[in-house]
Amino acid sequence: LTTTELSTILPHDGGLAVWAREAFGEFWGFQGGFWSWAEGTATLAVYPAVIVDYLQACIGHPFHKSTDWAIRVLLAIAVSVLNLRGVKWVGVSSAVMCVVVLVPLLMFVLISIPYWKPQNWGERLPS
């Protein structure tokens, strides 16, 4: 919500760096932008490892070490290329990922409808 509000007030590319510069001046604008970039770079390195760990958990056995590293490197390259393509590509990929996440959730809700028991909705759990 904060990002939406600030983006509406200051509709410029740059995000945190622009907001901090407008509020606190050039020095803190640079600090905000630099440390936001550093944090993004550091966390980007973690995501491929997390994704590979989830894949291994879903499959039920670990990948060979070379396969593990190949998947991690390919994921990092894919995300880097996506970011280098620009903000429109990132926006489209975010919308696609939103659909990928929400469709299974919607399916679970729809599948569960026959099992709903509205008469139990007002009950309290035992203490």
Side-chain angles (χ1 to χ4, degrees):
L1 187 58
T2 302
T3 301
T4 304
E5 290 291 331
L6 287 169
S7 296
T8 303
I9 294 169
L10 299 167
H12 308 289
D13 288 339
L16 182 66
V18 171
W19 306 331
R21 185 185 71 224
E22 288 294 320
F24 305 112
E26 288 293 326
F27 176 77
W28 291 111
F30 174 80
Q31 292 296 317
F34 175 79
W35 290 110
S36 176
W37 170 80
E39 180 269 335
T41 302
T43 58
L44 180 61
V46 173
Y47 294 136
V50 171
I51 291 169
V52 168
D53 288 346
Y54 282 146
L55 285 173
Q56 291 178 77
C58 289
I59 292 171
H61 62 83
F63 295 133
H64 186 271
K65 190 168 184 118
S66 60
T67 305
D68 183 291
W69 277 100
I71 294 171
R72 290 175 191 221
V73 168
L74 288 173
L75 285 168
I77 289 171
V79 172
S80 297
V81 167
L82 183 65
N83 279 307
L84 290 172
R85 294 290 300 182
V87 72
K88 290 188 188 228
W89 282 73
V90 172
V92 169
S93 68
S94 294
V96 169
M97 287 306 296
C98 182
V99 170
V100 167
V101 169
L102 291 178
V103 165
L105 179 63
L106 180 62
M107 288 174 49
F108 281 127
V109 170
L110 293 175
I111 291 169
S112 73
I113 290 174
Y115 302 98
W116 290 2
K117 296 180 181 175
Q119 67 272 16
N120 295 337
W121 291 356
E123 288 184 11
R124 295 182 60 141
L125 294 174
S127 306

